[in-house]
Amino acid sequence: MSTILVFGHRNPDTDAIGAAIGLARLEQALGQDAQAVALGKPNAETRYALDHFGLKAPRVIERAAPETTDVMLVDHNERQQSVADIADLTVHKVIDHHRIANFETTAPLYFRAEPVGCTCTILTRMYDENDIPIPGDTAGIMASAIISDTLLLRSPTTTDADRNALAHLASIADISPDAYGTDLLRAGTDLGDAQPATLIGRDAKSYTMSGTEVRLAQLNTVDPTDILDRRDEFLAAMRAEAEHAGYDLFLLLITNVLTTDSDVLVVGDPLDAVDAALTVTIRDGHAFAKGLVSRKKQIVPQLTRALAQ
Ligand code: MN
Ligand code: MN
């Protein structure tokens, strides 16, 4: 086997990058020639975490070939979220905590999906199962991933396994989850001077649901009014992107990481499916959704059902 490239989804978040680093290091400890790479540059939150623990950002790739045909996927399995040439590659492992969709292989593989809050929670168990100690910097980026995915253990996706893994990783990395976690989440809310057209693609994923092309984007904030004051600009950017990329529905979640509520901006059709899925009423492209923070648990299943009707 040639070098194995390990990577998370496009528009990587802290789990996509942290889990790639975590799995690549575990594979190396088990004797494999594995290397963590990424399908995009780290966002502000991930950069904060990498800097904090003295780690370098993984190299960005767009295709795995010609350097290798051997890959492992973390934090995703759907092909439209993966590397451009995924269909030509041999996937040896998948470690994930999302729904399974659009995934098939020609050869047997190690496939591990658990309904926990973060891929790095599963990886923490895998280190333990293999009796491999987790290096301090790796524990730090993995702890950051759990904090990020679970919004400091407050998201409804959080399980006891996440709580236990974070406590374990935090002790290895010598951080206080609350103090460090609050700084990390705040670092992720820095919109800089980026324009709406850029911001709506920063953390966005595509889904096909009963033939409807859906784009789900999310921005974390500590003050949603910053974004809502520019609602029309954001809606216009979403309309343009939907037109350009062929999305039928484009949702932007503006998630307040302090209250764990979201404002939702929506363009496209069918709006009644979005109303039903989120139990809101969208007016002028906007609705407030109390307690809504998780795409994978609070939107994707409900919207998939609503669009199937
Ligand atoms: Mn992710
Ligand atoms: Mn994740």
Side-chain angles (χ1 to χ4, degrees):
M1 203 186 297
S2 54
T3 298
I4 303 168
L5 294 182
V6 184
F7 49 84
H9 52 80
R10 298 184 194 194
N11 294 323
D13 53 17
T14 303
D15 191 25
I17 286 181
I21 292 172
L23 180 59
R25 293 239 171 122
L26 176 60
E27 292 296 327
Q28 288 160 13
L30 295 171
Q32 297 287 350
D33 177 17
Q35 197 183 109
V37 293
L39 305 185
K41 287 197 180 131
N43 62 33
E45 179 197 272
T46 310
R47 277 201 308 276
Y48 180 90
L50 290 167
D51 289 348
H52 191 93
F53 296 104
L55 289 164
K56 276 209 276 191
R59 176 168 65 89
V60 174
I61 62 160
E62 269 167 31
R63 310 175 71 78
E67 60 178 302
T68 188
T69 54
D70 298 305
V71 299
M72 295 182 180
L73 312 185
V74 291
D75 200 36
H76 76 294
N77 65 83
E78 301 190 41
R79 67 175 50 211
Q80 73 274 16
Q81 296 171 7
S82 198
V83 75
D85 55 347
I86 187 71
D88 307 326
L89 306 174
T90 304
V91 179
H92 293 275
K93 281 190 187 180
V94 178
I95 315 295
D96 195 12
H97 66 130
H98 293 88
R99 72 168 190 173
I100 314 301
N102 311 317
F103 185 84
E104 56 184 50
T105 61
T106 51
L109 78 160
Y110 182 99
F111 193 111
R112 184 161 177 173
E114 296 184 32
V116 294
C118 182
T119 307
C120 285
T121 297
I122 307 169
L123 284 174
T124 304
R125 286 180 170 163
M126 290 173 64
Y127 272 88
D128 189 43
E129 290 161 6
N130 287 283
D131 214 10
I132 303 283
I134 307 176
D137 54 358
T138 309
I141 194 69
M142 288 169 61
S144 304
I146 296 176
I147 292 164
S148 170
D149 267 13
T150 65
L151 294 180
L152 203 36
L153 305 177
R154 287 172 307 193
S155 162
T157 57
T158 308
T159 66
D160 283 342
D162 302 299
R163 283 183 259 274
N164 293 336
L166 178 56
H168 179 57
L169 294 167
S171 73
I172 298 171
D174 197 21
I175 51 164
S176 144
D178 283 336
Y180 169 77
T182 304
D183 290 344
L184 176 73
L185 292 178
R186 275 190 183 272
T189 65
D190 181 11
L191 304 182
D193 50 12
Q195 294 304 302
T198 306
L199 291 169
I200 61 171
R202 192 177 268 184
D203 174 11
K205 291 181 183 173
S206 298
Y207 305 84
T208 306
M209 300 178 186
S210 301
T212 303
E213 299 301 326
V214 180
R215 185 77 162 168
L216 293 181
Q218 187 165 29
L219 285 175
N220 285 347
T221 181
V222 288
D223 182 11
T225 54
D226 281 354
I227 298 168
L228 292 174
D229 285 350
R230 300 165 70 193
R231 183 203 294 193
D232 291 342
E233 281 177 68
F234 276 89
L235 287 170
M238 290 162 67
R239 243 175 249 120
E241 181 62 19
E243 174 99 348
H244 172 73
Y247 306 127
D248 302 304
L249 258 180
F250 195 138
L251 279 71
L252 171 64
L253 257 67
I254 302 151
T255 299
N256 186 326
V257 296
L258 302 178
T259 64
T260 63
D261 302 317
S262 293
D263 285 89
V264 189
L265 299 185
V266 189
V267 300
D269 291 305
L271 283 183
D272 55 343
V274 180
D275 282 348
L278 305 187
T279 53
V280 296
T281 305
I282 297 154
R283 284 205 189 86
D284 301 327
H286 168 260
F288 174 75
K290 182 131 196 73
L292 177 69
V293 295
S294 170
R295 269 184 294 221
K296 83 168 78 60
K297 190 157 185 174
Q298 296 174 295
I299 300 183
V300 172
Q302 293 81 351
L303 191 56
T304 302
R305 271 197 299 275
L307 287 169
Q309 309 213 325

